[in-house]
Amino acid sequence: MRGPATCFGGLRELPGGERLSIVGGKTVVEALWSPWAFADRGRQVDDADEAARRLRTTALECVAARASEYGRVVLMLSGGLDSSIVAACLARQGLSFHSLTLVTQDATGDERDYARRTTQSLGAVLTEAYRDVSRIDIERSGAAHLPRPTVRAFVQESNRLATEAAETIGAGAIFNGGGGDNVFCSLQSTGPAADRLLTSGLGPSFLRTARDISQLAPASLWAVTSDAVRRAWLGKPAMRHVQDLSFLSPRAVAMVGPTNLHPWLVLPPGALPGKAMHIRLMAFAQSYVEGHDPQDLLPIVSPLLSQPLVETCLGVPSWLWFEGGRNRVVARRAFAGDLPADVIWRRSKGTPDSFVAQIFETHRAAIRRMLADGELAAHDMLDLPAVLGVLDDPRPVHGDAFRRILQFADVEAWARAWTRSGR
């Protein structure tokens, strides 16, 4: 989650939803849009059927509007709920699209069965392709022309395969289900139970929501109810803002300073904690969708982050998104008649983590060279002994440290693209 400051001194970015005016030689930035206007308690649709109807109508309209710009599109179809909903919207609106699902060697990254069921039910075409770790260039940054290192190395294969598919069918854009978790309130938190407590008090409705959260977490019903009480009535903060300082040098840690909150996370009086967490997810989604290179020949489009759909989802009380140990329930209900039941109601979720680990293992020596003799080390930004200790560990990939090291590799590749190109 980022603010307007970029990674270049003196260069700031104007985020979506804000306007910059130059008057009398001075600049003034003002917010034109805030999620809190649509999260107001008086605008909430506290009826599950009506919320699902509105979500479905708005999603269909948004996906159709976005797709109409490009003629034919390639849809990155993981087989998960969010990308399947995009597929259903494209199909129901009669729009031309071609689905592409990507596969890893590990079963956790193989969602072909779900993708096949989705496309078969919609009468759509599906291409299946394997990610090839040897095609990853760990020293190339996909954000080389951007003022921040916003692109991860592992998406090189996704972009390559999607571009090839688009060229084959003459598509004008690459669509995905990005941001669905954020818009459809995929939380694992007691916040929605606290919202229920603050709006309805102690009673069956609160206990029902607490039980739904406990089944999803998983956590005991007592743990959920007691934490919801602390959050609603005993002053527990709605959100914690945690910075990851792992593997940074003492100098870098000292430079971090206090966290500058995203403006959407400055809570208005009476803000409900669960709704605040939903808006926090929206702020992460904004950073994601605005992190693409606008000069890409093929636009990458996340239609679930279209403004009207975001506004519709903000008008759904946080607790309505949870039922029976499942999240995103309003979206599931909205498209239950369009997709197979085992896709709509699935609890599992695929992940590219195995491919990310494979990148680390395959390119471990190259990453070590980059970081040991790179810009970050030269500027004393890393706890280099600790970083090299992870890279020199002879054991197979384990734990979470490798993900952090790959983040540094992405930043290093980005920094070299600027500092060593003479730009």
Side-chain angles (χ1 to χ4, degrees), residues 39-100:
D40 184 83
R41 293 194 194 190
R43 302 183 66 165
Q44 301 294 288
V45 181
D46 194 8
D47 179 275
D49 292 335
E50 176 62 14
R53 186 193 68 78
R54 293 190 186 188
L55 187 153
R56 175 184 167 78
T57 299
T58 308
L60 287 167
E61 292 174 349
C62 287
V63 173
R66 298 305 304 275
S68 66
E69 302 178 52
Y70 305 108
R72 202 172 194 193
V73 303
V74 168
L75 171 63
M76 305 297 290
L77 181 64
S78 68
L81 177 66
D82 304 323
S83 59
S84 296
I85 285 176
V86 176
C89 289
L90 290 166
R92 294 296 176 247
Q93 298 289 64
L95 297 161
S96 180
F97 73 102
H98 186 107
S99 298
L100 173 66

Side-chain angles (χ1 to χ4, degrees), residues 195-280:
D195 288 4
R196 193 74 149 168
L197 191 58
L198 287 165
T199 54
S200 304
L202 288 168
S205 60
F206 163 67
L207 290 175
R208 185 165 56 250
T209 299
R211 187 176 296 108
D212 291 335
I213 298 293
S214 72
Q215 292 173 352
L216 176 67
S220 69
L221 180 60
W222 167 251
V224 172
T225 55
S226 59
D227 191 76
V229 168
R230 287 195 297 271
R231 201 179 293 276
W233 290 336
L234 302 180
K236 182 177 179 178
M239 295 177 290
R240 290 191 307 130
H241 306 287
V242 180
Q243 296 172 314
D244 185 357
L245 305 178
S246 60
F247 296 100
L248 294 178
S249 69
R251 174 177 177 269
V253 172
M255 293 171 62
V256 170
T259 302
N260 292 318
L261 285 182
H262 190 289
W264 297 352
L265 302 188
V266 179
L267 308 188
L272 295 175
K275 185 60 69 175
M277 293 174 188
H278 191 186
I279 289 175
R280 185 171 185 257

Side-chain angles (χ1 to χ4, degrees), residues 173-382:
I174 300 168
F175 273 40
N176 60 38
D181 282 349
N182 308 66
V183 176
F184 300 147
C185 197
S186 181
L187 289 171
Q188 283 198 359
S189 164
T190 62
D195 288 4
R196 193 74 149 168
L197 191 58
L198 287 165
T199 54
S200 304
L202 288 168
S205 60
F206 163 67
L207 290 175
R208 185 165 56 250
T209 299
R211 187 176 296 108
D212 291 335
I213 298 293
S214 72
Q215 292 173 352
L216 176 67
S220 69
L221 180 60
W222 167 251
V224 172
T225 55
S226 59
D227 191 76
V229 168
R230 287 195 297 271
R231 201 179 293 276
W233 290 336
L234 302 180
K236 182 177 179 178
M239 295 177 290
R240 290 191 307 130
H241 306 287
V242 180
Q243 296 172 314
D244 185 357
L245 305 178
S246 60
F247 296 100
L248 294 178
S249 69
R251 174 177 177 269
V253 172
M255 293 171 62
V256 170
T259 302
N260 292 318
L261 285 182
H262 190 289
W264 297 352
L265 302 188
V266 179
L267 308 188
L272 295 175
K275 185 60 69 175
M277 293 174 188
H278 191 186
I279 289 175
R280 185 171 185 257
L281 290 177
M282 299 292 194
F284 280 117
Q286 184 195 35
S287 292
Y288 162 73
V289 78
E290 294 185 2
H292 299 310
D293 190 340
Q295 299 182 60
D296 283 340
L297 293 177
L298 277 177
I300 298 175
V301 181
S302 302
L304 297 182
L305 291 174
S306 301
Q307 183 177 333
L309 184 56
V310 169
E311 293 171 354
T312 297
C313 292
L314 286 169
V316 177
S318 62
W319 58 82
L320 280 188
W321 296 103
F322 303 89
E323 184 179 300
R326 290 181 173 88
N327 55 25
R328 300 173 286 175
V329 167
V330 178
R332 295 177 195 268
R333 284 180 172 169
F335 289 91
D338 302 276
L339 294 165
D342 54 357
V343 173
I344 278 288
W345 298 109
R346 65 177 297 194
R347 297 175 185 267
S348 61
K349 193 175 181 68
T351 172
D353 281 0
S354 62
F355 184 65
V356 175
Q358 192 179 5
I359 292 171
F360 180 86
E361 200 68 88
T362 302
H363 299 282
R364 188 191 291 250
I367 294 170
R368 192 190 194 286
R369 289 193 299 270
M370 284 176 64
L371 296 181
D373 185 31
E375 297 293 334
L376 295 178
H379 289 82
D380 189 22
M381 302 301 292
L382 301 178

Side-chain angles (χ1 to χ4, degrees), residues 141-161:
S141 172
H145 304 290
L146 301 178
R148 295 185 183 88
T150 54
V151 181
R152 304 301 307 277
F154 75 84
V155 304
Q156 290 180 20
E157 263 299 86
S158 302
N159 293 342
R160 180 183 70 84
L161 293 166

